[in-house]
């Protein structure tokens, strides 16, 4: 029976909810235009600040009728304007409201309204468009779509963007709304290029000196998104002047302490993007004395939580690749200690009586931790003393370890980045990293994470597997070989590089069992796959792995006895291929290692093709390759080893001694010395 009663109950509730709103919609269909206009005005007053009323009117079908009236040429301009105002008010409700408006194709209707000659109507349409486009549920690409009616009216240039650029000069409201639309809809290089090619820089630059604060602010925000990671825009901005003043100078004025915080932060972002793009030098006074101190100020306790997040993230980006900026930032206003406060949110519940404050703290707690980790990562990227200060900061290692297991992917990624930055320290690998068993949560992260986190986590693991790291042994025991071998098969290039790099570090001065496990885990097929990888980094790291595997005589002989044929085949392919000097040098060094084996060297001596290649590289124009080839020869002819006489005789018959005599006269001291040392083996 409950199922039977439920539907009528729902219907009665819906009836009660919508009945009081129905008369607003009914009046939109009146035959008297004046009554329709008054109905729209009354609807406007009813929905202001009333989300329930907005939802009711949408359910009752007000949106299609309002859009119809807005698009009718027979409607008065006043009616069309009021319709746009009501639609804008509906859009200010919930995200579901915006979705309903989008489903009714509101954007094409409003864009068409921009072709009207009436300024008030244009401003109402732009205001509504602004509200819709700043909603996270609105696809930005709708702004960049070619619309048929624009082709009909604007024959030469049928894009929405070009028409919006033309409307910028109409009023301070069109300037404010259009700049806001651009800054929210510019997501990535494609959008930046479209706006740039439509003259965004030239059309918006003069708005930075507008008498309206809102216009100046929106223009500034536009430039901050246009210049972000965009050298073309940044290089253009640095040379643009407004009223005889270059844009960087205008941005610096907007950084001053007497300006609103929002303006200081956004102008700092503009200068940061220009600096990172190379348009402004990192040692320029506007960066060192203005931008960097401004961003450090934004990290202080006095600032709002959201300002502290934005300040820290922008500063992290500014100093990320510059050692000197990292050093300056680290000693500015006790920044390293100041950042520790970012981890103290939310405050203890007992200390908070204001529920709104608790909700606010909770909302920003993840963002604060993420921003702090990012900035610590940038600060500690290069300098050992800075890393030491970071690690000695209150509970820092515990915070990083906790960050690795947070529910927020962004916080986990930032924590891994911070750990990666600190893992570049030899001292910290031996002390703090071992004391806190950092490798355990790191291995857990590597088991199941998105590629973005995997790339940074596997880079960190590479450092933890260096021979002086105490973490190397427990990582090996935890099944790292299998994990790393699987990474080498990834379609993601960075993961392939990191997987093979970590194995290379693992193999350095390792026991024979570990080396055998690596070879078994990789398989011959995968090894060949890596050696034929199109990326030179993968190839170089794979050759580095082989070189580390083939070290110490017993290991060389053991590995060559089981994998000799395949390894010699791989070496031949690389020496015959179109590879750079570094790749061929590394390959010849592998041959030199094989030649140092007791039994393994016979695989070279019985391979005339390889011997001819070594001979060829002894006479190569590049000294590095000559030297590497000479190492092979020296190891093959060394007197104290069994069978050396037979090997010397064979190599003499090939003309190797003649080449050694020539090289002993070389102007390169390394080649000369190596050749003389080799010749002494024949004389001994």
């Amino acid at each position: 029976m409950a199922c039977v009663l439920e539907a009528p109950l729902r219907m009665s509730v819906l009836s009660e909810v919508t009945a009081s709103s129905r008369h607003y919609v009914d009046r939109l269909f009146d035959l008297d235009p004046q009554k329709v206009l008054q109905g729209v005005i009354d609807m406007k007053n009813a929905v202001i600040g009333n989300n329930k009323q907005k939802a009711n009117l949408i359910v009752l079908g007000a949106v299609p009728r309002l859009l119809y009236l807005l698009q009718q040429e027979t409607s008065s301009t006043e009616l069309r304007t009021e319709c746009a105002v009501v639609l804008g008010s509906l859009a200010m409700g919930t995200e579901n409201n915006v979705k309903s408006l989008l489903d009714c194709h509101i954007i094409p209707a409003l864009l068409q309204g921009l072709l009207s000659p009436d300024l008030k109507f244009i401003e109402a349409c732009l205001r509504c468009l602004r509200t819709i486009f700043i909603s996270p549920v609105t696809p930005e690409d709708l702004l960049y779509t070619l619309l048929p009616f624009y082709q009909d009216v604007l024959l030469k240039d049928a894009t929405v963007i070009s028409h919006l650029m033309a409307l910028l000069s109409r009023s301070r409201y069109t300037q404010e709304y259009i700049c806001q639309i651009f800054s929210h809809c510019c997501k990535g290089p494609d959008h930046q290029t479209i706006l740039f090619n439509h003259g965004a820089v030239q059309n918006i630059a003069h708005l930075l000196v507008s008498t309206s604060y809102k216009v100046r602010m929106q223009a500034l925000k536009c430039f901050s998104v246009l210049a972000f990671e965009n050298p073309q825009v940044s290089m253009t901005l640095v040379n643009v002047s407004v009223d005889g003043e270059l844009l960087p100078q205008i941005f610096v004025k907007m950084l001053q302490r007497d300006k609103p915080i929002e303006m200081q932060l956004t102008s700092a972002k503009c200068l940061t993007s220009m600096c990172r793009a190379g348009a402004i030098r990192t040692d320029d006074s506007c960066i060192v004395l203005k931008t960097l101190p401004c961003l450090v100020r934004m990290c202080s306790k006095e600032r709002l939580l959201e300002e502290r997040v934005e300040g820290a993230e922008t500063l992290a980006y500014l100093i990320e690749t510059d050692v000197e900026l990292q050093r300056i930032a680290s000693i500015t206003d006790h920044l390293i200690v100041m950042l520790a406060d970012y981890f103290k949110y939310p405050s203890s519940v007992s200390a908070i009586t204001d529920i709104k404050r608790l909700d606010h703290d909770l909302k920003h707690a993840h963002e604060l931790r993420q921003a702090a980790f990012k900035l610590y990562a940038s600060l500690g990227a290069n300098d050992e003393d800075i890393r030491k200060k970071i690690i000695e900061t209150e509970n820092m290692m515990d915070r990083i370890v906790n960050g690795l297991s947070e529910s927020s992917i962004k916080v986990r990624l930032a924590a891994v980045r911070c750990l990666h930055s600190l893992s570049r320290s030899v001292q910290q690998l031996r002390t703090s990293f071992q004391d806190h068993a950092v490798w355990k949560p790191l291995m857990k992260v590597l088991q199941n994470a998105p590629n973005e986190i995997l790339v940074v986590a596997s880079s960190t693991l590479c450092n933890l597997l260096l021979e002086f790291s105490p973490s190397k042994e427990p990582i090996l025991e935890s099944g790292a070989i299998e994990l790393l071998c699987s990474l080498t098969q990834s379609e993601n290039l960075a993961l392939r590089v990191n997987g093979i790099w970590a194995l290379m570090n693992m193999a350095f001065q390792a026991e024979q069992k570990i080396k055998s496990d690596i070879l078994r885990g990789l398989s011959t097929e995968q090894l060949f796959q890596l050696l034929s990888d199109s990326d030179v980094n993968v190839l170089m790291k794979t050759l580095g792995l082989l070189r580390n595997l083939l070290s110490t005589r017993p290991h060389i002989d053991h590995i060559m006895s089981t994998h000799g044929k395949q390894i010699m085949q791989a070496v031949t392919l690389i020496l015959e291929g179109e590879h750079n000097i570094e790749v061929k040098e590394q390959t010849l060094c592998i041959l030199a290692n094989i030649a140092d084996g007791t039994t393994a060297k016979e695989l070279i001596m019985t391979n005339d093709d390889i011997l001819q290649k070594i001979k060829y590289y002894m006479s190569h124009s590049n000294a590095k390759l000559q030297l590497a080839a000479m190492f092979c020869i020296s190891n093959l002819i060394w007197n104290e080893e069994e069978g050396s006489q037979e090997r010397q005789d064979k190599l003499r018959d090939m003309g190797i001694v003649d080449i050694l005599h020539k090289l002993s006269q070389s102007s390169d001291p390394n080649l000369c010395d190596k050749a003389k040392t080799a010749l002494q083996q024949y004389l001994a």
Side-chain angles (χ1 to χ4, degrees):
M1 289 299 289
C3 294
V4 178
L5 290 170
E6 192 177 358
L9 184 65
R10 273 198 197 152
M11 286 297 291
S12 64
V13 171
L14 186 62
S15 300
E16 281 178 36
V17 169
T18 57
S20 60
S21 307
R22 167 122 359 235
H23 72 284
Y24 288 113
V25 179
D26 291 343
R27 290 167 69 189
L28 299 181
F29 292 87
D30 201 291
L31 295 175
D32 184 345
Q34 275 305 115
K35 288 183 179 178
V36 174
L37 175 61
Q38 191 56 49
V40 175
I41 292 170
D42 290 345
M43 184 182 286
K44 174 181 72 175
N45 295 330
V47 297
I48 292 172
N50 190 334
N51 279 347
K52 185 177 178 183
Q53 188 70 277
K54 289 174 186 179
N56 289 346
L57 292 170
I58 289 171
V59 168
L60 290 166
V63 175
R65 183 61 181 172
L66 287 167
L67 287 172
Y68 173 79
L69 294 170
L70 181 138
Q71 293 176 90
Q72 284 303 297
E73 290 184 12
T74 53
S75 296
S76 67
T77 303
E78 187 181 3
L79 174 59
R80 296 171 79 189
T81 304
E82 291 294 347
C83 285
V85 172
V86 175
L87 288 164
S89 188
L90 294 176
M92 284 184 183
T94 64
E95 288 183 3
N96 282 334
N97 289 8
V98 178
K99 286 177 184 174
S100 299
L101 293 169
L102 291 172
D103 290 342
C104 292
H105 307 291
I106 189 172
I107 289 179
L110 292 169
L111 290 173
Q112 189 162 7
L114 299 182
L115 299 172
S116 164
D118 187 86
L119 181 57
K120 290 291 179 192
F121 179 50
I122 288 171
E123 288 173 349
C125 288
L126 281 172
R127 193 182 303 113
C128 185
L129 278 167
R130 181 273 313 267
T131 306
I132 288 167
F133 273 119
I134 65 176
S135 169
V137 300
T138 307
E140 299 86 14
D141 285 333
L142 290 172
L143 184 68
Y144 303 92
T145 310
L146 204 64
L147 298 175
F149 53 79
Y150 268 76
Q151 288 179 314
D152 296 339
V153 180
L154 306 168
L155 295 175
K156 281 187 179 178
D157 199 341
T159 65
V160 173
I161 302 296
S162 59
H163 188 53
L164 289 174
M165 291 292 179
L167 290 174
L168 272 170
S169 60
R170 295 294 297 273
S171 75
R172 72 181 183 89
Y173 294 112
T174 63
Q175 290 167 351
E176 178 192 339
Y177 303 147
I178 290 169
C179 283
Q180 201 170 357
I181 289 168
F182 284 162
S183 62
H184 275 276
C185 294
C186 185
K187 308 285 186 188
D190 291 345
H191 294 166
Q192 288 172 328
T193 301
I194 292 169
L195 291 171
F196 180 80
N197 290 342
H198 278 84
V201 173
Q202 295 75 12
N203 284 299
I204 296 170
H206 71 281
L207 303 182
L208 290 169
V209 294
S210 167
T211 54
S212 163
Y213 172 77
K214 286 184 176 179
V215 171
R216 291 200 305 278
M217 199 58 237
Q218 293 306 329
L220 191 58
K221 285 182 177 178
C222 246
F223 283 130
S224 79
V225 296
L226 279 170
F228 183 65
E229 294 185 342
N230 193 309
Q232 184 186 28
V233 173
S234 295
M235 293 294 185
T236 304
L237 288 181
V238 82
N239 295 313
V240 172
S241 63
V242 179
D243 294 345
E245 200 167 22
L246 289 169
L247 285 195
Q249 294 171 318
I250 294 173
F251 293 148
V252 167
K253 281 185 177 179
M254 291 174 158
L255 280 177
Q256 292 171 357
R257 290 172 185 254
D258 62 338
K259 297 291 187 289
I261 295 298
E262 178 188 33
M263 182 172 277
Q264 291 184 49
L265 256 175
T266 312
S267 51
K269 286 169 84 170
C270 290
L271 289 163
T272 293
S273 291
M274 292 165 75
C275 179
R276 284 300 305 267
I280 300 175
R281 288 168 56 99
T282 55
D283 59 357
D284 192 296
S285 62
C286 77
I287 297 298
V288 178
L289 302 179
K290 301 291 183 181
T291 309
L292 188 148
C294 170
L295 290 170
V296 173
R297 283 201 308 275
M298 296 303 143
C299 298
S300 71
K301 275 185 179 182
E302 286 69 42
R303 299 271 52 88
L304 297 173
L305 299 188
E306 44 268 62
E307 292 164 357
R308 296 174 76 184
V309 168
E310 199 169 354
E313 292 203 337
T314 307
L315 182 56
Y317 180 54
L318 173 65
I319 69 172
E320 187 178 15
T321 58
D322 191 89
V323 182
E324 194 52 38
L325 288 180
Q326 289 159 10
R327 286 177 183 152
I328 294 167
S330 73
I331 57 170
T332 304
D333 292 350
H334 307 288
L335 177 64
I336 291 174
V337 176
M338 194 193 298
L339 282 176
D341 190 63
Y342 278 48
F343 295 95
K344 295 175 182 176
Y345 293 88
S347 309
S348 60
V349 178
S350 58
I352 295 179
T353 52
D354 184 353
I355 296 299
K356 283 188 178 177
R357 158 90 188 283
L358 176 60
D359 187 54
H360 179 263
D361 284 10
L362 283 168
K363 182 182 175 186
H364 290 286
H366 285 104
E367 293 174 4
L368 282 162
R369 289 197 291 278
Q370 179 191 341
F373 282 137
K374 278 185 181 177
L375 186 44
Y376 276 136
S378 288
L379 284 164
N382 293 287
D383 191 282
E384 186 67 25
D385 289 336
I386 297 174
R387 291 188 196 118
K388 189 171 184 290
K389 285 179 187 173
I390 292 170
I391 284 175
E392 287 173 355
T393 304
E394 182 185 356
N395 301 325
M396 191 61 211
M397 290 308 292
D398 289 332
R399 282 168 176 156
I400 294 173
V401 169
N402 291 337
L404 295 176
S405 57
E406 282 222 19
S407 57
S408 164
I409 287 178
K410 288 182 177 179
V411 177
R412 285 210 309 276
L413 177 59
V416 173
R417 278 189 176 145
C418 184
L419 189 67
H420 179 236
S421 180
L422 299 175
S423 73
R424 295 182 179 128
S425 164
V426 174
Q427 184 188 351
Q428 301 310 328
L429 282 175
R430 286 176 170 159
T431 55
S432 302
F433 275 55
Q434 184 63 10
D435 294 343
H436 291 81
V438 167
W439 65 270
K440 287 182 182 177
L442 186 67
M443 287 297 288
K444 193 175 179 184
V445 167
L446 282 161
Q447 301 301 328
N448 183 24
N451 277 1
E452 196 179 10
I453 292 178
L454 275 179
V455 168
V456 190
S458 54
S459 286
T460 310
L461 193 65
C462 288
N463 292 343
L464 266 64
L465 285 167
L466 291 166
E467 81 279 6
F468 50 75
S469 169
S471 303
K472 184 173 181 177
E473 195 173 325
I475 290 171
L476 277 166
E477 290 168 1
S478 69
I481 292 176
E482 187 181 346
L483 171 72
L484 294 170
C485 288
S486 69
L487 288 183
T488 67
Q489 298 176 37
S490 172
E491 290 182 10
N492 182 295
L493 172 60
L495 287 178
R496 287 205 306 282
V497 170
N498 288 347
I500 201 72
W501 195 342
L503 288 170
M504 182 184 85
N505 288 350
M506 190 183 280
F508 184 74
Q509 294 183 353
E511 298 170 6
Q512 186 172 299
K513 181 187 181 302
I514 292 168
K515 292 181 177 182
S516 298
D517 287 347
I518 291 171
L519 277 170
R520 193 162 41 248
L522 266 184
S523 80
T524 308
E525 186 185 344
Q526 178 60 11
L527 195 61
F528 270 94
Q529 192 76 34
L530 292 165
L531 289 169
S532 57
D533 199 288
S534 58
D535 184 81
V536 71
N537 284 326
V538 174
L539 178 53
M540 282 295 284
K541 293 292 180 284
T542 308
L543 291 171
L545 169 63
L546 271 176
R547 194 173 170 183
N548 285 349
L549 290 170
L550 295 165
S551 62
T552 72
R553 284 183 182 175
H555 296 179
I556 294 167
D557 291 334
H558 175 76
I559 289 170
M560 292 306 288
S561 69
T562 54
H563 295 82
K565 184 182 175 184
Q566 296 92 329
I567 290 171
M568 294 303 287
Q569 190 181 342
V571 165
T572 305
L573 284 170
I574 292 168
L575 291 177
E576 286 177 351
E578 293 292 321
H579 295 291
N580 64 31
I581 298 297
E582 286 71 23
V583 167
K584 296 206 169 184
E585 181 191 15
Q586 188 81 300
T587 309
L588 287 167
C589 287
I590 289 169
L591 273 180
N593 282 15
I594 295 169
D596 192 39
T598 304
T599 56
K601 55 168 53 82
E602 287 308 309
L603 287 163
I604 296 176
M605 291 307 300
T606 55
N607 190 324
D608 289 342
D609 186 25
I610 286 287
L611 288 173
Q612 287 299 330
K613 283 179 172 54
I614 295 170
K615 179 183 175 183
Y616 165 77
Y617 283 109
M618 284 178 73
S619 304
H620 198 275
S621 57
N622 185 279
K624 284 184 177 180
L625 296 182
Q626 286 180 286
L627 200 59
M630 293 260 285
F631 272 109
C632 296
I633 295 299
S634 292
N635 286 345
L636 290 172
I637 63 174
W638 204 253
N639 253 326
E640 296 166 9
E641 292 166 13
E642 190 181 337
S644 61
Q645 190 60 53
E646 290 83 354
R647 289 192 293 276
Q648 286 181 9
D649 292 344
K650 181 170 182 176
L651 292 172
R652 181 189 283 110
D653 293 343
M654 284 178 61
I656 295 295
V657 174
D658 296 336
I659 298 173
L660 288 174
H661 279 296
K662 282 183 188 175
L663 290 173
S664 67
Q665 307 301 314
S666 171
S667 57
D668 185 309
N670 289 329
L671 280 175
C672 178
D673 289 348
K674 198 69 184 169
K676 285 177 180 177
T677 302
L679 284 170
Q680 284 171 4
Q681 298 304 308
Y682 276 94
L683 298 172

